[in-house]
Amino acid sequence: MTMEGLQIYIRRLQSGTTLIELQDFLVPLLQRFQIINFDLRILKSGVEAFLTTHQCSKGNEFLQWCMDWHVSSRLTLNGQRLDITKSKWEANEILVRVLKREEKILLVDGYDMAKASTNIEKQLRRNFDISSFAYGKWEYVGPQAQYHPYFEMSVKGTVTFGDRYFVLQYEIDVQTNNQSLKTVNPPPSLNNDDLAEPLTGHQALRLPSIPSPYNDNDSRIFYEVHFPYSAVQSTTLDHGKEQSIVFTMTEAPKIWETQYKQRVRAISLKDPPLQLATNCQVYRLRLSNASDIPHLLNLERACILSQFTLYPVPPFLCDISLEEQYGQLRLAMETINLSFGVQFQLQKLAQNGYLPPLVVLNIVDYVSFIEQDSGTERAVAALRRLFQQLPYSGPLTKAGDLDTRAVHGLLSRNLETVKEEQSGQVSVMVTYRAEVTPTTIYLAGPDPETSNEVLRKYAEHSENFLRVTFMDEDGDGLYSDRFQSNRIIFHTRFKGIQRNGIKVGGRLYEFLGFSHSSLKAQTCWFLAPFMEGDTRVDADLIISKLGDFSHIRSPARCAARIGQAFTETSSSIAIGTTIVEEVDDVERNDRVFSDGVGTCSSKVLEMLQQATRRSGDSFTRMATIFQIRFRGAKGVISLDNRLEGHILRLRPSMIKYRRPKESSRDSSIGICGIASKMLPLVLNRQLIKILEDLGVPNNVFEELQHRAIDELRASVSSVANAASFLDMYNIGASTQTTWLLRKMQALGLNLSDDMFFRDLLDAVVLIQLQDLKFNTRIPVKAGATLYGIMDETSSLAEGEVYCSWIDKEGRSEHASGPVIVARSPALHPGDIQIARAVEISIDSPLSALHNCVVFSSMGERDLPSQLAGGDLDGDLYHIAWDPMLIPKSCHRPASYPRVPPLNIERQVTRHDMSDFFVQFMEQNQLGRVANQHKILADQHKQGTLHPDCIQLAQLHSTAVDFSKTGIPIRDHELPKICSQFTSRFQPDFMAPGRKVTIENHGILFEPEEIFFTESDDPRKVGEPKRKRYYGSQKILGILYRAIDERAFFKDLHERSAVLKDDTKPSRGVLAHLWDYVLAETVGLEWDHYVGHAADMRETYEAAISDIILQYSTHPTEQLEELEVFIGKIISRTGYRSKRQEEFTTGMKEKYNREVLAYMSDMRDDTMVGEEYEALRRSMACLYVGIQEPRELRGRVEGCRKETFGWIAAAACMKELEVYQEQRDVGPLRRALGKIKTGVGYLKR
């Protein structure tokens, strides 16, 4: 076997030589031999190093050259002659594959290492000494902005400017203490009750740390503050007397402190404790040396720092401290009779940093006036519009844009155009939210969200419920970290919030509970007590009304039981408790075959179908399977047409707790899932890996992926294909986009030159291509994903299943013959089993069931429990009948012992459950286990069959149950990754993709980043330890590398360029459609509605801006309007995180509600007015929609606004059809002679 790669041994280094110094010394030498990529590591001794290259022959040439006496005598670094020889150890195989992959990427992207290592980079200074550090905010004194520091500290520290972060580092001595610390304008003793939290710990910084080189008795604390460039809103340089640089941030920095060799995340500046409010996000660093200014300008020219605003920044001291300002604002809101909704928005303006508290204080009287004059809803809507309109304060913003008069003007204008928000659905409630970070609490909402049992019961008191999410400063979840301690954040900050509550608008919100899904999303519900009649309703009373939980001794299990009432339910309907029957479970061999499933009669099924139709679901007329929550019971109910009358049958396995008898009249059944249609089967990485290990050939998966890519190409080859493609992924249903496309096609309108529509298709294709490449989600036509239920007739034999679904044409379909059955997540090789799908007679009760897989109730062990521990309370099962996907044999299924829940041997309290919520955040290792399984399954030849992977599969099962048992997995239980080297390397299919930038009329792919060494390079300061990736030789790596998204789009656009007619400038398809509408409505007056249409466009675009602000994952990486329109957030790095999926769902639901309201307004024919009023109004909207949008200022700038025209076009064409029919004009049949039919990017 030919050994690839070479490891070189370097010794006699000068002690203290850094990796950067050694790398800079070696690069020009290695370039002589065309070695452009290598791995370099200095050993712990500090005087030895290993250099690894994948180019064995070139590496040997380099060694021969080094052995030459004339050369070796000149190999001197830091005064020390180096000894360079071949290592006695072979090069690590995984590392060699890493280097190969990296070099290939470098060559593809045209990377020039010689150019990258020129003196330009070396001449850049990145480290600067600072003499003081301050944070505060911009104030306006006269027309100009002045910097107002609320805290300042004299330090001897440094700031390092890396490529992604700049990091402040310094130390203090706790014995000599903080003579250098000072608070500007120290506040009097003040209990700031009206902040979203007490000021203790509020946005306070505790400046953290560099790894300490000092002994355990050292009294110094080392601090380290990480500022991401992505959160820098503006940068100001004072190159005069102050010689300082000022950063205006959109989020708080992350802070570490190190003492006694322990590095921990901190939540506040202490010694002594100092507080900071959320609007103090302006940080000033004063340079120690004025001569450093030119070096900072070099960093700006190199685009490392954003463009400077040159501006004098003398300190300005305000007479009123920030705490006093908050106190005055609180007092004013208490004195003036304002509704809670208005108080919430005013507090949000100040607390989230949009306006200084004093400015908010100055508008309180005016806001009170508009609430009394225009009503609470309109006042709240006008205030909410401000969050899009207010610019960031700073030197580039004039005082007149943020003073009281300006805010009054914006509110007055907003009142003219705002509309009251109506959810329109009983299942949707308006929800107030709070976001808790290690240093800050932000307020958000209120926004319509899917309701739950508790919220529906107390719908009139929705303002007293607060949805609270715990997160890191950048909005991502905060989890356990092996390399540093987050204990202070979890146990001081987050647990303190859970125990002490959150104060908003004079109300104290206390911990109430959470659902199973919200626990994983680090979200829970808080409640402010309220009066209902003579009864004070608080958290304990609400829980007691749900059921008796006093016998439960496990906080996790108790929280899970209570959490059923917080599960989001899309619909609900009241049913009498008299129709409920309890029947026994089907049990055998200590296995429950009916775990979580019950039945209902046809009459009850009709009630459920009617309830879901009322909620807007149009696919439920044939649904026979519903996932429910009912008075402490949870699970699935299926139709049993043998039952007569109104009967609902529940089983003991479904009933988790019982509702008190006195609440018998509270008998609503909540619906949280509906088997309204067959879900497609999409293979994922886990299923593909197990099937590969079970012997399914690679070419099977490659062919499936190839077909999927061909379908993506075909989707943009014609208008008809494009419309079908968008329908398939439910794109544009609420906006009637696909209907409009087909109408345009019928008219002969040329879509090839319409840039917006081309961008729309590009975006949707990109999302699907990313799903294929980065999630390895491959659709399988010969398969389905279905709810699982049990055979109630006992007609299916062991190993048999019955699969039934309704196709798009409404026909009943069935699978027959051998099938594979699986459930996600699947890590154990036995999580995929083979069953036999059978047909049943037409007179069987099973024939009435649709969109489900029916499992046998016979045999030694139920099949669902063999599939990653599945049950029937709502689990979805993957079924495939493609013979190429069925392995010759299966692995024996796993059988894990049941883990009893943690018993605290006393009654569980709310504090116990809130403590468990924090414990789960801190100790949940589900993602870590799944990732280790992926890595080891790829690195081990046996794949998922290797003992390490079998062990990880069992640990994964334990981690899944952690939310119910309260028992986490421990670090020592995890198997060690193969070796010291491979623990840092991951297969390439786990790598992030090229960064995607969505430009106007195009998608750009940036070069892929490569990290040559894990060095002390100052360019990488502040960055987490980067992974490096090798080319996987197994199927997941093969599939990953088969897709080049940049090449795919290049080919797609080159094909379209051949067909596209660029001889004439395009007016856009909507302009041509407008010509057609005018020709069809000659003599119909419409222009008197233009003013109303312009107001409608303004409110629509304000709603779009609000959605962009709410669902952008970061303020500096805002969504595009296109993403809102299609209801999909495009991943900028290919991989879609769970947070992005949650944001996508919320964004789509909110936009759909907005669009339906605007479409209804455009087409409302119930208003008293002239004939064809809806057509006239929608014509005016289309006319306004094709005009250029006005320039917007505020927080959402540069975002194009084009989609109003598209929804107006759909509304107008719908009304035009009605007009044509009534006027006997006939169906749409005439195209304008002026409109030239063409082919191009989209052929008809």
Side-chain angles (χ1 to χ4, degrees), residues 286-301:
R286 182 177 280 116
L287 301 173
S288 298
N289 304 306
S291 59
D292 287 340
I293 295 292
H295 295 287
L296 283 173
L297 292 171
N298 287 337
L299 291 175
E300 178 201 25
R301 283 190 284 270

Side-chain angles (χ1 to χ4, degrees), residues 803-921:
C803 304
S804 171
W805 65 91
I806 302 295
D807 65 15
K808 294 179 180 178
E809 285 71 39
R811 297 187 299 262
S812 180
E813 298 285 349
H814 310 86
S816 180
V819 296
I820 56 170
V821 188
R823 172 182 166 273
S824 292
L827 278 74
H828 190 278
D831 287 344
I832 296 179
Q833 294 293 313
I834 299 175
R836 174 165 294 278
V838 298
E839 301 277 356
I840 48 91
S841 62
I842 193 67
D843 57 346
S844 169
L846 299 183
S847 66
L849 300 173
H850 309 297
N851 303 324
C852 63
V853 52
V854 184
F855 292 103
S856 171
S857 60
M858 313 301 289
E860 294 296 313
R861 180 180 176 184
D862 60 302
L863 183 53
S865 71
Q866 301 177 45
L867 309 173
D871 55 34
L872 303 176
D873 69 353
D875 287 358
L876 293 169
Y877 292 87
H878 309 298
I879 316 292
W881 50 91
D882 184 335
M884 300 301 295
L885 284 173
I886 301 175
K888 294 181 180 178
S889 62
C890 288
H891 193 278
R892 183 177 179 180
S895 181
Y896 305 131
R898 289 179 182 156
V899 179
L902 180 70
N903 188 338
I904 62 173
E905 299 182 350
R906 60 172 173 79
Q907 186 173 335
V908 175
T909 66
R910 273 194 305 116
H911 285 327
D912 293 326
M913 290 184 284
S914 67
D915 286 350
F916 171 69
F917 182 91
V918 175
Q919 180 196 5
F920 185 84
M921 280 194 287

Side-chain angles (χ1 to χ4, degrees), residues 157-218:
T158 62
V159 59
T160 303
F161 295 98
D163 287 343
R164 296 186 180 213
Y165 295 82
F166 65 96
V167 176
L168 170 67
Q169 297 175 326
Y170 69 93
E171 65 186 58
I172 63 171
D173 193 310
V174 295
Q175 290 182 356
T176 58
N177 214 338
N178 307 284
Q179 299 174 359
S180 60
L181 301 178
K182 62 179 180 179
T183 303
V184 183
N185 290 330
S189 177
L190 176 66
N191 180 18
N192 197 333
D193 290 333
D194 206 47
L195 287 176
E197 59 176 315
L199 269 178
T200 303
H202 183 73
Q203 171 83 2
L205 297 182
R206 178 185 199 149
L207 293 181
S209 78
I210 339 160
S212 171
Y214 300 91
N215 60 57
D216 291 346
N217 297 321
D218 201 310

Side-chain angles (χ1 to χ4, degrees), residues 1099-1154:
T1099 59
Y1100 169 84
E1101 291 177 351
I1104 291 289
S1105 296
D1106 187 50
I1107 292 173
I1108 288 172
L1109 286 174
Q1110 181 177 347
Y1111 292 103
S1112 294
T1113 54
H1114 199 279
T1116 58
E1117 295 182 359
Q1118 292 183 345
L1119 297 177
E1120 295 291 330
E1121 184 189 23
L1122 185 61
E1123 294 172 274
V1124 179
F1125 185 73
I1126 64 176
K1128 298 281 187 181
I1129 296 177
I1130 298 174
S1131 171
R1132 282 7 182 213
T1133 58
Y1135 176 75
R1136 296 177 65 79
S1137 67
K1138 186 175 294 185
R1139 183 176 176 227
Q1140 282 179 322
E1141 294 287 357
E1142 292 169 355
F1143 272 34
T1144 294
T1145 300
M1147 178 191 72
K1148 185 171 185 176
E1149 290 176 353
K1150 185 170 183 177
Y1151 179 67
N1152 285 347
R1153 285 192 293 268
E1154 292 286 353

Side-chain angles (χ1 to χ4, degrees), residues 1228-1244:
L1228 297 175
R1229 65 180 182 277
R1230 296 178 296 169
L1232 285 176
K1234 296 180 181 179
I1235 302 175
K1236 179 181 178 181
T1237 302
V1239 292
Y1241 184 71
L1242 293 166
K1243 297 179 292 182
R1244 286 182 54 226

Side-chain angles (χ1 to χ4, degrees), residues 580-633:
V580 179
E581 297 179 358
E582 288 190 29
V583 296
D584 292 336
D585 274 305
V586 177
E587 300 183 67
R588 193 178 306 111
N589 300 326
D590 199 29
R591 300 281 182 181
V592 182
F593 285 65
S594 58
D595 191 1
V597 64
T599 59
C600 70
S601 63
S602 299
K603 294 288 187 183
V604 172
L605 187 76
E606 290 172 6
M607 296 171 63
L608 299 176
Q609 291 173 340
Q610 184 63 32
T612 51
R613 278 198 291 271
R614 284 202 304 268
S615 68
D617 191 333
S618 59
F619 300 97
T620 60
R621 60 184 178 86
M622 301 185 72
T624 56
I625 312 292
F626 288 83
Q627 187 181 11
I628 65 160
R629 298 290 185 269
F630 177 67
R631 293 178 58 82

